[in-house]
Amino acid sequence: STGCQAAQSLAVKKGMEQAVKDQGLQEEVQVVGVGCMGFCGQGPIVQIDSESSEAADGLYYEKVTPEQSHSIIEGLKGAEVTANQGDANHPFFSRQFQIVREYSGKIDPEKIGDYLAMGGYQSLYHAVYEMSPEDVIAEITKAGLRGRGGAGYPTGLKWATMAKMPPGQKYVICNADEGDPGAFMDRSVLESDPHRILEGMAIAGYAVGANQGYIYVRAEYPLAISRLEKAIKQAKRQGFLGSSILGSPIDFNIDIRVGAGAFVCGEETALIASIDGGRGVPRPRPPYPAVSGLWEKPTLINNVETLGNIAPIIRNGADWFASIGTEKSKGTKIFSLTGKVCNNGLIEVPMGITLREIVEVMGGGVPDGGKVKAVQTGGPSGGCIPAEYMDTPVDYDSLTKLGSMMGSGGMVVMDESTNMVQVAQFYMEFCQEESCGKCIPCRTGTVQMYELLTKVIKGKAKPEDLEKLEHLCQMVRVTSLCGLGMSAPNPVLSTLRYFKSEYEEFLALKA
Ligand code: SF4
């Protein structure tokens, strides 16, 4: 994927292919490029899967350089390998439970044959030939899947609302406009296993009666876009998309729409406006997109990770899915674990796992024996959870109770050297830049909040400025038109709630 390609994984692959040729091993050794294995901080990663040697099977090398690629191939014949051997049973891997990322890092994302060999598109076949649309919706509802884009709205309920709309033109949209700083879950899924998303969309289309889908993906994800384009072509050629999918009377097409990088276009009504050809700004709801969306037709919008869960739920059943996670948050969640943590990368964990297990066990804690000060979840819409709440289970409701949110899955670890007022200022700067300006509370409020935070950091604020800041946060939260403005105050409110002394220290500078 993109992260490893930036670290020369393509040169590593080329070097290994050359080494296979040089050593005449073409009959025995195949070099396969796969998607993201998740351990981004340690990439590029090379793993050996061997049918002939137990000793070699599962060997795993980290931070492989192009110079080391020959050595890995020579190692298959018993020579010493110069690359760093990693531990494939590391807690970073062993504590994961992969549903959406089950094939990521295992298949070549550019080959539909790899996806089919894993059982790909069988769920679509099962849905179209053995289930009615109502059965599919009932299964998704029973599974308890909630939207993974941030709000956590029940997916089955959304699908059922769409299905109830009168027959006629309907659309399915995959929201791949991932824009939170530090979040790259959707990019990785699209780059590593694009057919899974196409299959999820086709099942959704069948269930709600839509014959056209759009994937709205940000322009900053060129590899994801090119893999999606290839996947769509392959799926059409093999009859999984297009007219009469799988020989049935069902039609379902997918096209890609590339966003221009506005964070607000992740908001569903802004996204629809953007595909519509208008300016990407939100509008008041109702009407909800399920009633009047793209070109005023009923439109179902689900994010990448939500759609990535659909084929496994149809394949394994709602009960299987509902047995994973907690009572109100079923299944798994992908997080991009970043910041001051030893093991950076993507993890997929069952809902309900504690923050401590993620950060300290899987993430290996703070480098150089440092201490965790806070964990920021949910990106600019989320909040900062202090270290004393590390035993909190990670699920929609527990994170909201603490003043943060699940969001789309960004998780940034902060150590004791981090100044929390500066963190709040960073996220506010992001929100004021990304505010579309349509409504006054967000357009003006985010600027005012940013300026107040800057005043605090410069040591020029008075105690009443903190009161003003908090008051402003509440006002912007309650009166903004869309989620961007409603949640922009969260990083400020959560740091005021848990780290007020750091604000007061800046006030003391004035004294
Ligand atoms: Fe635009 Fe902000 Fe208002 Fe949303 S809350 S519509 S981003 S100005």
Side-chain angles (χ1 to χ4, degrees):
S1 289
T2 297
C4 276
Q5 289 198 3
Q8 302 199 69
S9 62
L10 294 179
V12 169
K13 182 171 176 261
K14 215 169 161 196
M16 293 182 70
E17 284 164 347
Q18 189 58 46
V20 168
K21 254 191 215 163
D22 292 349
Q23 298 189 33
L25 293 172
Q26 295 96 320
E27 296 289 309
E28 296 151 76
V29 179
Q30 207 187 347
V31 181
V32 181
V34 296
C36 177
M37 294 174 77
F39 213 166
C40 306
Q42 301 304 109
I45 287 170
V46 172
Q47 185 169 314
I48 315 287
D49 291 333
S50 177
E51 286 172 2
S52 58
S53 160
E54 249 183 61
D57 193 36
L59 277 180
Y60 155 85
Y61 301 98
E62 299 173 341
K63 294 192 175 174
V64 179
T65 62
E67 296 73 35
Q68 292 168 332
S69 48
H70 271 67
S71 157
I72 293 176
I73 299 299
E74 281 156 18
L76 296 173
K77 288 173 148 184
E80 199 179 323
V81 177
T82 57
N84 301 326
Q85 195 176 324
D87 176 10
N89 298 314
H90 191 285
F92 185 87
F93 295 116
S94 62
R95 303 285 176 110
Q96 294 199 40
F97 191 110
Q98 297 186 325
I99 296 176
V100 178
R101 286 181 43 80
E102 60 187 337
Y103 307 153
S104 289
K106 297 185 182 76
I107 61 169
D108 182 339
E110 302 201 353
K111 291 191 177 141
I112 190 171
D114 278 25
Y115 185 65
L116 294 174
M118 301 298 255
Y121 288 109
Q122 283 183 16
S123 296
L124 178 62
Y125 183 91
H126 180 54
V128 168
Y129 280 106
E130 289 155 19
M131 298 170 84
S132 67
E134 294 75 26
D135 291 341
V136 175
I137 293 173
E139 200 68 6
I140 300 301
T141 306
K142 195 173 162 208
L145 175 66
R146 292 170 68 174
R148 300 297 195 241
Y153 191 78
T155 306
L157 197 55
K158 212 180 210 186
W159 288 25
T161 309
M162 264 288 283
K164 276 187 211 139
M165 297 308 293
Q169 184 64 58
K170 296 180 186 179
Y171 299 102
V172 172
I173 296 177
C174 168
N175 184 348
D177 196 50
E178 178 175 62
D180 289 4
F184 48 95
M185 301 78 52
D186 295 348
R187 172 176 62 72
S188 171
V189 171
L190 294 173
E191 289 177 353
S192 307
D193 193 5
H195 283 286
R196 156 180 309 267
I197 304 308
L198 307 186
E199 185 174 10
M201 289 179 75
I203 294 170
Y206 169 68
V208 304
N211 65 0
Q212 175 66 46
Y214 290 98
I215 303 175
Y216 188 85
V217 56
R218 60 200 310 241
E220 293 91 332
Y221 285 179
L223 185 62
I225 293 169
S226 97
R227 292 208 168 136
L228 280 170
E229 283 168 346
K230 277 184 194 155
I232 290 171
K233 264 191 207 154
Q234 292 168 351
K236 280 186 180 166
R237 215 178 296 135
Q238 302 223 5
F240 299 115
L241 290 178
S243 310
S244 310
I245 57 174
L246 296 161
S248 73
I250 314 293
D251 300 340
F252 192 74
N253 265 302
I254 297 180
D255 288 307
I256 297 172
R257 290 291 179 269
V258 177
F263 179 66
V264 75
C265 284
E267 197 278 343
E268 57 185 17
T269 59
L271 187 156
I272 287 172
S274 176
I275 298 183
D276 248 338
R279 187 173 165 216
V281 290
R283 62 156 175 81
R285 292 171 301 179
Y288 288 92
V291 177
S292 176
L294 197 53
W295 295 296
E296 296 174 7
K297 302 292 180 200
T299 303
L300 174 73
I301 303 194
N302 284 136
N303 105 314
V304 170
E305 192 179 336
T306 311
L307 289 163
N309 276 294
I310 301 303
I313 291 174
I314 299 299
R315 186 192 329 134
N316 299 316
D319 291 337
W320 163 81
F321 188 83
S323 70
I324 304 155
T326 66
E327 198 195 330
K328 290 189 178 159
S329 301
K330 306 290 188 195
T332 57
K333 179 77 193 82
I334 306 178
F335 290 100
S336 46
L337 184 60
T338 56
K340 298 280 178 64
V341 65
C342 292
N343 307 322
N344 285 287
L346 279 182
I347 51 167
E348 183 171 0
V349 287
M351 298 271 196
I353 189 171
T354 62
L355 273 175
R356 189 180 303 286
E357 193 161 358
I358 292 180
V359 175
E360 293 183 356
V361 181
M362 302 175 77
V366 175
D368 305 320
K371 279 191 180 162
V372 176
K373 184 179 198 174
V375 180
Q376 209 279 350
T377 65
S381 319
C384 297
I385 301 169
E388 69 227 56
Y389 293 105
M390 288 282 278
D391 291 312
T392 302
V394 176
D395 59 51
Y396 290 100
D397 309 299
S398 306
L399 295 183
T400 307
K401 251 187 233 156
L402 290 177
S404 188
M405 67 190 293
M406 182 88 79
S408 57
M411 189 176 276
V412 185
V413 180
M414 292 156 188
D415 71 358
E416 295 209 309
S417 69
T418 313
N419 183 285
M420 303 310 289
V421 187
Q422 286 172 335
V423 169
Q425 187 202 32
F426 166 79
Y427 283 109
M428 194 51 71
E429 185 178 15
F430 179 85
C431 288
Q432 66 148 23
E433 277 174 10
E434 294 295 339
S435 167
C436 78
K438 180 167 178 172
C439 68
I440 295 167
C442 169
R443 182 180 69 216
T444 312
T446 52
V447 175
Q448 294 298 320
M449 287 189 286
Y450 176 74
E451 284 179 0
L452 274 172
L453 286 163
T454 308
K455 196 171 168 190
V456 172
I457 288 168
K458 284 187 174 166
K460 292 183 178 170
K462 298 181 195 145
E464 52 267 36
D465 285 323
L466 291 192
E467 282 167 36
K468 217 189 265 177
L469 179 62
E470 195 160 357
H471 179 73
L472 203 49
C473 282
Q474 297 297 359
M475 188 273 288
V476 172
R477 194 172 64 82
V478 175
T479 55
S480 288
L481 172 60
C482 85
L484 192 156
M486 286 176 199
S487 57
N490 284 352
V492 183
L493 286 170
S494 64
T495 47
L496 273 171
R497 178 172 166 190
Y498 298 117
F499 301 97
K500 191 147 189 190
S501 61
E502 294 193 21
Y503 284 83
E504 286 163 351
E505 275 167 31
F506 279 115
L507 295 188
L509 286 180
K510 184 180 168 58

